[in-house]
Amino acid sequence: MNWVSTGWSRPRSLRPWSTSSFGAVGAILGTGAGASQHAARLSGLGHQVVVGTRDPEATLARTEPDMMGTEPFAVFHAARPELTLPTFADAADAGELVINGIDSANAVTALSALPAAALGGRVLIDYAVSYVYQQPGDPEHS
């Protein structure tokens, strides 16, 4: 596995996922505003959290806000060094609960590319919603 943070090892299983099982691993797929807030909250509750992305090094190298104006993930991550940043597949494989925070335009492609074992036997919460990303100057979508 190619983990960005040091000192990571696959955690022992702590099923079932519940507020009484502090230390359970939650995998958040995506690094946007929604995914970051889920990661911060679960981590703040005492859960071990991994945040998956397509390319960890590229994600940490970004210095500009995303298309929604969300701060670069590296800024968020610097304030929360306990979070690890593996690939989508490695994050899903490590999680007992997997939360899909990948934007709807890319979610199906990203989730379909995961090996079946990465999601097998896990609860997947998918909150991706259809959203039309408009850039300044784009015509209105109907």
Side-chain angles (χ1 to χ4, degrees), residues 30-36 54 59 62-76 101-103 131 133-136:
T31 57
S36 295
R54 287 174 199 85
T59 297
R62 289 188 191 103
T63 59
E64 298 296 320
D66 67 15
M67 69 178 76
M68 300 298 291
T70 304
E71 69 184 3
F73 188 80
V75 174
F76 175 83
I102 304 167
D103 66 276
Y131 185 82
Y133 294 101
Q134 277 189 260
Q135 297 298 316

Side-chain angles (χ1 to χ4, degrees), residues 113-141:
L114 295 177
L119 290 175
R122 290 164 178 80
V123 173
L124 172 65
I125 298 173
D126 184 353
Y127 69 86
V129 295
S130 296
Y131 185 82
V132 176
Y133 294 101
Q134 277 189 260
Q135 297 298 316
D138 282 354
E140 287 292 319
H141 296 276

Side-chain angles (χ1 to χ4, degrees), residues 85-114:
L85 187 69
T87 62
F88 288 142
D90 287 340
D93 186 54
E96 297 174 47
L97 172 73
V98 179
I99 298 175
N100 175 35
I102 304 167
D103 66 276
S104 61
N106 295 299
V108 172
T109 301
L111 292 173
S112 296
L114 295 177

Side-chain angles (χ1 to χ4, degrees), residues 73-84:
F73 188 80
V75 174
F76 175 83
H77 188 253
R80 295 162 185 84
E82 72 278 7
L83 300 177
T84 57

